[in-house]
Amino acid sequence: MSFFKQFPRTLITVDGNLLNIPDIFRRVGPNKLFDNMAMMNLYDIEDGQKPEHIAYDVYGSVDYYWLILICNNIIDPYHDWPKSELDVVEFSKQRYGDDNLNKVHHYTDSTGKIRVNYDQTKFNSSAIVAVSNIQHERDTNETKRRIKLPRPEFIEEISGQFKKLIRGR
């Protein structure tokens, strides 16, 4: 079933015409069903893989792409879904400029914790290291690769639960 067909319909007036459209502003928060890891598998997204690809590979249909997004609280797939390496580079160029990709974004200590204050002595001794703009974007992108996928045997139950939630039943 199409994602938007599950939403309740609402009447709006546009240019004097009354239209009956899906209420796309209706939101539901994740419930215990979405958080039940017994019904989920962990999945690592491959470079360039989209929700539609995963839905087809795992469920045999692209129709469940939206459920993958909802189960992982992904609202904006452009920013919340991992980008391909090429897209990370292009995004970084737009964000920082072509000439600034290798400039320092921040410093981290040996645990990976971001350091706010720069200390030349610690930098010289490798107690803190510089993280470039491009590396920061790559690291941020990598944190998005591990997602939860509903196990195939539960996909209809979880889909039905979402439909009940979105319709307020």
Side-chain angles (χ1 to χ4, degrees), residues 16-94:
N17 297 314
L18 193 60
L19 300 175
N20 186 0
I21 63 167
D23 182 2
I24 62 171
F25 295 105
R26 173 80 56 106
R27 305 267 316 151
V28 296
N31 70 3
K32 292 177 185 172
L33 191 63
F34 297 146
D35 291 334
N36 183 349
M37 287 308 292
M39 299 177 89
M40 302 286 172
N41 288 324
L42 293 177
Y43 185 88
D44 292 315
I45 301 168
E46 296 176 19
D47 193 47
Q49 200 172 27
K50 301 292 181 204
E52 296 85 352
H53 302 143
I54 297 169
Y56 183 80
D57 290 346
V58 174
Y59 309 118
S61 171
V62 297
D63 292 341
Y64 293 110
Y65 77 93
W66 59 269
L67 198 51
I68 294 169
L69 298 174
I70 288 172
C71 287
N72 291 283
N73 201 27
I74 295 173
I75 296 169
D76 180 355
Y78 181 75
H79 290 292
D80 299 339
W81 190 262
K83 296 171 177 49
S84 69
E85 174 60 20
L86 180 62
D87 288 341
V88 168
V89 172
E90 289 305 311
F91 175 79
S92 298
K93 285 178 181 179
Q94 289 176 3

Side-chain angles (χ1 to χ4, degrees), residues 64-142:
Y64 293 110
Y65 77 93
W66 59 269
L67 198 51
I68 294 169
L69 298 174
I70 288 172
C71 287
N72 291 283
N73 201 27
I74 295 173
I75 296 169
D76 180 355
Y78 181 75
H79 290 292
D80 299 339
W81 190 262
K83 296 171 177 49
S84 69
E85 174 60 20
L86 180 62
D87 288 341
V88 168
V89 172
E90 289 305 311
F91 175 79
S92 298
K93 285 178 181 179
Q94 289 176 3
R95 176 172 264 183
Y96 304 106
D98 287 357
D99 299 333
N100 298 318
L101 294 182
N102 293 311
K103 290 195 176 174
V104 174
H105 185 275
H106 63 271
Y107 297 88
T108 61
D109 63 20
S110 60
T111 66
K113 183 178 177 184
I114 294 177
R115 298 285 306 225
V116 176
N117 54 342
Y118 174 79
D119 183 321
Q120 185 67 44
T121 305
K122 289 184 178 183
F123 183 75
N124 290 343
S125 69
S126 298
I128 62 172
V129 295
V131 176
S132 67
N133 289 324
I134 187 68
Q135 190 58 50
H136 168 71
E137 294 301 332
R138 284 180 175 137
D139 293 346
T140 299
N141 193 56
E142 284 306 304

